[in-house]
Amino acid sequence: MSAPAPARRRDLGRRRALALLVATGLALVGVVTLLVVYVGLAARAMGASVDAEQPCLVAAQDGGTARVRHELLPPRAVCTWQADGEPREVVLASAPTPLVVGAGALAVAGVLATAVVLVPRGARPNG
């Protein structure tokens, strides 16, 4: 009767390890995707400033008050400047919003699942 207990514990350990592997994998995929999206966004915005084809960037080079701001949602880099006393803006680079939302959801779900797997069963509240 005592023989099944170690095998059962081993199976629980394997299941827990597999769950931890999947949970951390989800979190890593989400975080890496977010990192790639936002670094790529910044790189494309900087590339646009090197080309200086956008009217906003031309205004910045002429000593104007052009500013580039980066937005989280929707993920984009926007250049704002004054032309003839009127504020104008142009999007220098953008990324798909569903991709960023999905990657963020994966990251959060992976972190939460990892926390659930790591918390010992005795420490969880009964419910």
Side-chain angles (χ1 to χ4, degrees):
M1 290 225 174
S2 62
R8 188 174 182 193
R9 281 189 195 147
R10 200 171 340 150
D11 287 342
L12 285 176
R14 285 182 185 163
R15 277 189 242 151
R16 188 171 180 202
L18 181 63
L20 187 60
L21 177 68
V22 169
T24 55
L26 287 175
L28 280 174
V29 166
V31 169
V32 168
T33 302
L34 287 172
L35 183 67
V36 167
V37 165
Y38 284 110
V39 168
L41 189 68
R44 285 194 311 267
M46 289 173 62
S49 67
V50 169
D51 295 339
E53 295 176 2
Q54 298 286 342
C56 172
L57 301 171
V58 171
Q61 289 177 350
D62 293 340
T65 59
R67 299 282 180 247
V68 176
R69 73 176 187 276
H70 297 276
E71 299 177 356
L72 292 178
L73 279 176
R76 61 186 185 163
V78 180
C79 187
T80 308
W81 79 102
Q82 294 282 333
D84 301 328
E86 188 177 315
R88 296 187 185 189
E89 65 180 31
V90 65
V91 177
L92 297 175
S94 65
T97 302
L99 176 67
V100 172
V101 170
L106 274 178
V108 169
V111 168
L112 291 177
T114 300
V116 166
V117 171
L118 289 177
V119 172
R121 290 204 183 268
R124 292 184 190 157
N126 293 334

